[in-house]
Amino acid sequence: MRTRNRLSGLIGVLVLIWLAIGAVAAGQRGYFEDASTNCASVGTIAVTVVAGPLNYAGVNPSVDCEYPQPSS
């Protein structure tokens, strides 16, 4: 039981470190400074944070989405 708790604690810490590295990568790319809050910019920030250290291995995730236009 103790080993299981230690393992889950270690995994939790590793996930937090992974996400922190992704947040740093998003910050270095200037994603948090952009004032636009559309689905593409929010999605790109989220994907960049989740990609974590892979950002420094050349992964450049981005999201492109379009809202349907109202009919006239």
Side-chain angles (χ1 to χ4, degrees):
M1 189 71 169
R2 285 181 104 172
T3 304
R4 187 178 192 185
N5 287 339
R6 281 189 181 161
L7 183 61
S8 64
L10 178 64
I11 290 172
V13 168
L14 290 176
V15 167
L16 287 177
I17 292 170
W18 181 275
L19 294 175
I21 292 170
V24 168
Q28 288 176 341
R29 293 178 181 183
Y31 292 161
F32 297 124
E33 297 169 5
D34 189 14
S36 66
T37 53
N38 56 33
C39 71
S41 64
V42 172
T44 298
I45 291 170
V47 171
T48 300
V49 170
V50 170
L54 297 177
N55 291 293
Y56 297 107
V59 175
N60 189 14
S62 64
V63 175
D64 185 31
C65 57
E66 296 178 20
Y67 292 108
Q69 298 297 321
S71 58
S72 28

